Every structure is written in structure tokens, then in C-alpha cells.
Amino acid sequence: TKRIFSGVQPSGTPTIGNYIGAMKQFTELQNDFDAYYCVVNEHAITVAQDPAELRKNTRSLAALYIALGVDPEKATIFIQSQVPAHAQAAWMVQCLTPLGELERMTQFKDKSAKQGSVSAGLLTYPPLMVADIILYQTDLVPVGDDQKQHLELTRNFVERFNNRFTGKKEEGILTMPEFYAPKEGGRIMSLQDPLKKMSKSDENQKGFVSLLDDPKVIMKKIKSAVTDSSGEISYDKENKPGVSNLLTIYSSMSGRSIDDIVNEYADAGYGKFKQDLADVVISVLEPMQARYDKLMESSELDDILADGAKRANEVASETLAKMEKAIGFR
Ligand code: ATP
Ligand code: MG
């Protein structure tokens, strides 16, 4: 069976953007793939984190994976820092990656512009992501559109590494991964600024709906989402980015097509549309939140994570050994 790998940073509580762009696909793909879902806490510390918050968010994110439907019997759920091969492989990847490639990355440019002091780790984030992916000999990486550039970098790395270190008659040491994003919803926009990506680390809480927001809060945030003054519900990303974003969220959360939704609300007005959208979002999140609450209280979660780390370590250390041998460490 083919492998899939993906991760989310415990840099806050995941948003409906993370859910639609990536996490929703986790459950859909776990039946057909050997799946590895990671809580990437090493990525999270590329910007400042409060230790107690980071610890809390890490466990909470693992519980959310399960609450939204990832089955620990089918998929491996684990915490990145519990598999040392990630940091070890990342060092090799860094040493084989031209600095210029990293300085060009959009995420680095965006995030470094927001930071007073920029850590070296923010620049070398993509090599760590390359390590995450290659260690599991990953075929498919379900992530949002914003990670496409990092996946391209991963593909370039795999090609370069295999060309340089694999003997002529051998199969490549590393598997070439493919990018996988939903047709719609690969880039959900902020509710307060539809030209900006929705992000869980946004300081403006009104810009996102988090998966753990209260129904009342969800209603309020969606009702105050920025739209436009035309009052017409239609899908037009250029001229109506706010309404188009809400339509995308509606469609992804309900499984209905955008056309179908536009038809239903053609004469409805923004008030009614937003109210119904909030109800749709709540109907998906409420049962998930109930499962989450139960998991957080149980010791089951700790057993799942211990088992996940064991399984991930087995696979990752095998690839790490191959890389070390190729490079001349063994
Ligand atoms: P941060 O602001 O800390 O970077 P984030 O919201 O960007 O948080 P990540 O942990 O960086 O979340 O990304 C987790 C996954 O969610 C990735 O696959 C990423 O591509 C996807 N993702 C992030 N933001 C969006 C979005 N607005 N729309 C769709 N997918 C998204
Ligand atoms: Mg991000």
C-alpha cells in the first residue's frame, strides 16, 4: 500500500481552514493508504511559543485528529519530537539545500516580516518538512495550497538526493511524493480580511473559526465576517472575495456544490446566508467537540501516542539509516 504523511503545527487550535484544506482529507484517505499523521511541534517552535501552551496544544491537537475521525487502528498518530530521526534527517537535508532556495520561500517571507527577531529555524523550516516527508517514503502529502511551494522543494530534493547517492542499477533511496489538496478549499481566507489566508496563529481571533470554538462564538464570528455592499450572493473570487470564501466554506462543510448553494440563496441576503452557514459549521464541529472532550479526559490518548511514536520510529529509522549510509556516516 502507498504511504501518506501530513502534519499540523500545535501553534494554536486548528481552524476550519486547517480542517478543510488538510485534516478533512486525513479521514477520507486513511482507508486507502498507510497513513502517518504527525503533530509537528518542532515546526511550531520556529516562532516563539509559551512552553505550557505548547504542551497543552500538542496533546489537544492529537486528540482532535482522533475526534475528527482518524482511526488509530488504521493510521499512525504521533508527536514529531518523539521521533528523533526528524531532526537528524533535517540536518542532512539542510546541508544539501542551497540557501537561496530557502530565502525564496513565501512562508518564510510572510512570517519573517511579522517577527521582530527571526530565528534561523524559520528559514530552515522547509528542510525539516522535507525530512518529515521522506522518512516515511511518502507517496502522497495532503496539505493546503500554502504548502505547495514546500512540497516542490521536497520533490527537487528527492530528485537531487537520488541522483547523487543512488547507484545506477538501484531503485531510488527516497520515494518521490505528490502534492494533494482539495479542488476547492485549499486556501480558506480570513473572515476579517478575505485577501489574507486564515491562520490559527492570527492575533485577530475574529479572523478564524477554531475547531473548539463554542457554537455561540462560531455564530458571532461568521455573522461578522467581512463581505461587500452589493448584497448579492454569487461566486466571484476577484470581485467578491469575502462572499466567495464563505461559499467555499459552506460547500466544503456540507458536501454540496457551490452552484447549488448559490441557487438556494440567490434572493436570500447575507444575513440568512451567514446564519445558515454558521449552523452548517456548528453541525460538523459539535459532535467532534463532544468526542474531543471525552478523549482529553481519558488515558487512552497517551497509549495511542506511545504506540504511534513506536511505529513511526521503526519506519523513520530505517530511512534514516539508508540516508546515513549514502552520505558516508556508516
Ligand atoms: P500557523 O499560522 O501557525 O502557520 P496555520 O493555520 O497556517 O498555522 P499549519 O499548522 O501551518 O496551520 O498548517 C496545517 C495544515 O493546514 C497545512 O496542511 C496547511 O497547508 C493547511 N492550511 C493552513 N491554513 C490553511 C487555509 N487557510 N486554508 C486551507 N488550508 C490551510
Ligand atoms: Mg501555517
Side-chain angles (χ1 to χ4, degrees), residues 140-151:
L140 203 69
V141 186
V143 283
D145 286 351
D146 67 312
Q147 296 304 317
K148 187 160 191 189
Q149 200 182 27
H150 292 161
L151 203 82

Side-chain angles (χ1 to χ4, degrees), residues 9 11 17-18 21 111 143-144 146-147 186 188 197-198 200-201:
Q9 303 183 70
S11 48
N18 303 135
K111 288 200 173 181
V143 283
D146 67 312
Q147 296 304 317
I188 299 296
K197 180 183 95 67
M198 183 182 282
K200 68 174 116 65
S201 58

Side-chain angles (χ1 to χ4, degrees), residues 240-284:
K240 298 173 69 67
V243 173
S244 302
N245 186 45
L246 296 181
L247 279 166
T248 303
I249 296 171
Y250 198 132
S251 167
S252 303
M253 291 302 237
S254 65
R256 292 171 57 189
S257 74
I258 288 181
D259 282 347
D260 189 27
I261 300 162
V262 169
N263 282 337
E264 179 181 343
Y265 291 96
D267 309 309
Y270 292 165
K272 163 79 175 146
F273 172 63
K274 283 176 166 177
Q275 167 104 34
D276 286 3
L277 169 59
D279 283 337
V280 166
V281 172
I282 291 165
S283 73
V284 175

